[in-house]
Amino acid sequence: LKAREAEAKSSAGEFLGMSPSDAGDETMVGEDQTLEHSRAAWVPARASKDFNLLYKLLTKLDEEKNIQKNPVFGDIGTADEAEALAEDAKNGMLDKLLQYAWKVHGLDYYGAKELGFNEFKVRKDGTYTRRGPKPDDLGGAEQELEGAGKFFKDLELKWDTRVFEGDQAFKLVGKERLEKEIAQYTETQVQCIDGNKFMCKLCTKLFKGSDFTRKHISNKHSEILEQIRGKILQDIYEENFLSDETFTEHEKEYKELQASLDAGQTFASPGLEAVRQPPRPHQRRAYFDLDQPKQESRSVLDYGDI
């Protein structure tokens, strides 16, 4: 998360230094990069909806990555000012928001895709779904917009959900769960005595209020809380690991390999069938006791023969 945040901030700074012509560049890289309903996306009413949703989405993304100043929003103004912009103005600013979303946050708005951690660097050189150049004539675009109603409805639902639920990566870190379980543990270490006194179970000190006791536990017993915190994090990371689909695949491969070994089979190179090998005879290795006294091999002389 920290590495991604640093990369996003760096990209935001680079975006701030771009010229207006570069920031609005709509050079097409390939036909697959053009939105299928391109003409419908240029209809002022549709572009206004996309602008409002994208503005709200980028505000959420900037907040998650601690980007204090959005270089694009400076030209637009506050959320209320952005909402009050005319449809033509929103239509003209939309392409810059689309490019910022991809270059900084790795979010392809019309492609309904957000890059994960492993793909995040792709946003620098990769391509995203664009509206394409503005048509000279929007005749019939309204009818095309009606035909693309399901596409845009699904698009709005996806990004509205993203704004409401936030980044799923934060759930993997378990920040909310961690704080909740630490608070629950702290509460179990506070005992009320005589209705007006509260004791810390960790050291039996008494306090006038439960708040003072919780603060005491947080300040004076931080080492114990760190141990509890470490255990909770270990549980969270273990659950993340076990819920990973790739782990179940590796586990299946491991069990199959273990079963074959238990059956006395060894596998040759890939593509060849398993061949059962006869058991090898057990060969005893020579054993030398290093602690045993050395045996004298010299012959004993009889001095009577001299």
Side-chain angles (χ1 to χ4, degrees):
L1 285 171
K2 290 182 179 179
R4 187 185 65 174
E5 177 182 319
E7 287 190 28
K9 286 182 177 179
S10 175
S11 297
E14 294 173 1
F15 198 93
L16 181 61
M18 294 173 63
S19 64
S21 58
D22 292 336
D25 183 21
E26 277 294 311
T27 302
M28 305 312 298
V29 182
E31 293 183 359
D32 59 336
Q33 303 301 320
T34 308
L35 179 63
E36 180 181 357
H37 308 289
S38 176
R39 286 170 51 81
W42 279 100
V43 174
R46 179 65 250 171
S48 178
K49 287 184 178 180
D50 290 333
F51 176 90
N52 294 336
L53 179 55
L54 191 53
Y55 187 98
K56 183 169 58 174
L57 181 59
L58 290 178
T59 301
K60 180 69 174 180
L61 293 171
D62 286 343
E63 179 184 340
E64 292 173 349
K65 297 180 178 65
N66 292 319
I67 297 177
Q68 303 297 330
K69 186 177 180 180
N70 186 308
V72 182
F73 288 178
D75 300 333
I76 300 174
T78 64
D80 293 335
E81 292 173 342
E83 186 73 25
L85 287 175
E87 289 185 349
D88 291 340
K90 292 180 179 179
N91 209 342
M93 295 292 296
L94 180 57
D95 292 327
K96 186 180 289 187
L97 292 183
L98 291 170
Q99 188 179 18
Y100 177 85
W102 175 253
K103 293 295 184 182
V104 177
H105 297 292
L107 184 139
D108 185 355
Y109 178 81
Y110 285 122
K113 178 179 68 174
E114 183 177 7
L115 298 179
F117 290 109
N118 297 332
E119 305 173 310
F120 195 65
K121 292 185 178 181
V122 176
R123 76 196 190 286
K124 292 186 176 181
D125 302 320
T127 55
Y128 62 99
T129 308
R130 313 168 190 244
R131 291 192 297 174
K134 183 177 180 179
D136 296 330
D137 182 16
L138 288 176
E142 294 283 351
Q143 289 76 11
E144 184 177 339
L145 179 60
E146 293 180 2
K150 184 179 184 306
F151 168 80
F152 286 105
K153 184 178 180 180
D154 293 342
L155 194 69
E156 292 178 15
L157 179 61
K158 175 179 178 60
W159 297 129
D160 275 330
T161 304
R162 173 63 176 85
V163 172
F164 177 76
E165 294 184 350
D167 193 345
Q168 296 299 311
F170 288 106
K171 293 185 178 181
L172 295 178
V173 176
K175 183 178 180 181
E176 294 182 0
R177 173 181 169 181
L178 180 63
E179 294 176 352
K180 180 180 179 181
E181 294 194 17
I182 287 291
Q184 290 176 347
Y185 173 80
T186 303
E187 199 65 35
T188 60
Q189 303 307 312
V190 179
Q191 181 177 353
C192 180
I193 299 177
D194 296 335
N196 57 357
K197 293 181 181 180
F198 297 87
M199 183 185 73
C200 169
K201 292 183 179 181
L202 299 175
C203 65
T204 68
K205 285 187 177 181
L206 297 175
F207 299 88
K208 292 183 178 180
S210 59
D211 292 341
F212 294 107
T213 312
R214 284 191 288 268
K215 185 180 294 185
H216 159 79
I217 294 174
S218 178
N219 294 333
K220 300 299 183 181
H221 301 293
S222 57
E223 294 182 359
I224 297 178
L225 292 183
E226 282 301 318
Q227 294 177 4
I228 301 299
R229 187 187 305 274
K231 184 179 182 304
I232 297 172
L233 286 175
Q234 183 67 26
D235 293 341
I236 293 173
Y237 297 155
E238 183 178 353
E239 291 174 7
N240 292 341
F241 178 74
L242 294 175
S243 62
D244 188 0
E245 294 180 357
T246 58
F247 168 75
T248 57
E249 294 176 1
H250 293 317
E251 186 181 32
K252 182 180 179 181
E253 294 176 359
Y254 171 77
K255 288 182 178 179
E256 292 177 353
L257 178 60
Q258 188 65 41
S260 65
L261 294 176
D262 293 341
Q265 296 177 348
T266 58
F267 288 93
S269 59
L272 298 180
E273 297 181 354
V275 180
R276 184 181 297 274
Q277 301 290 343
R280 296 180 179 178
H282 180 67
Q283 298 179 355
R284 298 192 62 178
R285 292 169 26 178
Y287 173 75
F288 299 98
D289 189 352
L290 299 178
D291 296 327
Q292 184 179 2
K294 294 182 178 180
Q295 299 290 337
E296 295 290 345
S297 59
R298 295 178 297 177
S299 59
V300 180
L301 296 177
D302 186 355
Y303 291 94
D305 297 335
I306 297 177

